[in-house]
Amino acid sequence: MRHFVNIALLLCFATLATSGIMSYVLPFDIDTARVHIIFGLATLILIGLHLIGKGKYFKAVLSSKSKISLPKKNLVLIVVIWLALLIASLMNASPAKQIISQSYESRRAHEIVRTNPLMQSLNEKNIHNSTRLKENTEDKALAIHLNFNSELESAPAMAIWAESKAGTIIENIYLSPELAYSEEVSWNGKKTQRHKLLPIWRQRYTLLTGIDPDGELDLMSGATSSHTFSLEKYLKSDGDEYVVFVELKEEGFDSVIYSTYVDHSEKKQFRLLELTGSSLQTEGAPKGSLNYDTESIKNAPLDLGLVESQQ
């Protein structure tokens, strides 16, 4: 049993260390996180078995009468260091603060896009569903149902967001996971920039955060102080109306925009997403502007787009 535990612990530790380093230096990846959690639990169990086998050793080390007993000052020093690291980690103090500040998540915070924790999304073949729950409840407030053209060879790059009537992003509802953690992404096996796939969404996001795709401060934008924003106050019968946008990008085509107005004071529950425009740039048009000429659109990724709203 001792040899089994030692060898298994070595393998689990190596896997845990590798996945931990990957989580620190690379963008978040659900596969890496899953491996880290599973092998963390396995390592915890193996260490427990190892410690059970070392019961006599610990008893001897902590006994003042044993020849191998640990001096009290050394024991106190170990406990103090342990407590200091624990408190520093919980309080985000030195050295934990400096270590975490060098992680990918901290260094690329301006690039990372996370949806509201109350958002739930599901992708299946040729179908996408995103549901926004109400705060502190399990009630559905808003849902977007997309049925893609059956002729699509691969899933398109996609962003779904809500804007106020003034044209400011209220909340990101969905962003393709491959695009959520970096401006430089791999799409269909090719390295590209996020703003080249979803230029309309990325320009609107610049106006919100004040950070352009190159990571530079855009002084012309209306940046928020913390990048936090929410639909919550709009999801009421007396809330303001807003617009839901969907941007889709197929290989070889300009991205296409669908949209619809949502007003929770209205009795109707379902609204169709309408083809609104594309990212096709015309001469003299600002970067990331929406081209409303739907006649020039040669691709129609959606067979049906439906927005469901409930009070």
Side-chain angles (χ1 to χ4, degrees), residues 48-63 68:
L49 293 173
H50 178 76
L51 293 178
I52 290 174
K54 293 290 184 178
K56 292 182 179 179
Y57 165 80
F58 286 109
K59 185 177 180 180
V61 166
L62 297 175
S63 174
I68 61 171

Side-chain angles (χ1 to χ4, degrees), residues 35 54 56 62 65-66 73 117 125-126 136 167 186 189 193 196 206 231 249 265 273-274 278 296 299:
V35 169
K54 293 290 184 178
K56 292 182 179 179
L62 297 175
K65 298 179 180 180
S66 173
K73 62 178 182 179
K125 185 178 181 181
N126 295 324
N136 301 321
S186 178
Q193 298 294 314
K196 293 181 179 179
T206 296
L231 264 171
K249 165 69 174 178
S265 66
L273 283 162
E274 298 180 356
S278 72
S296 64
N299 60 318

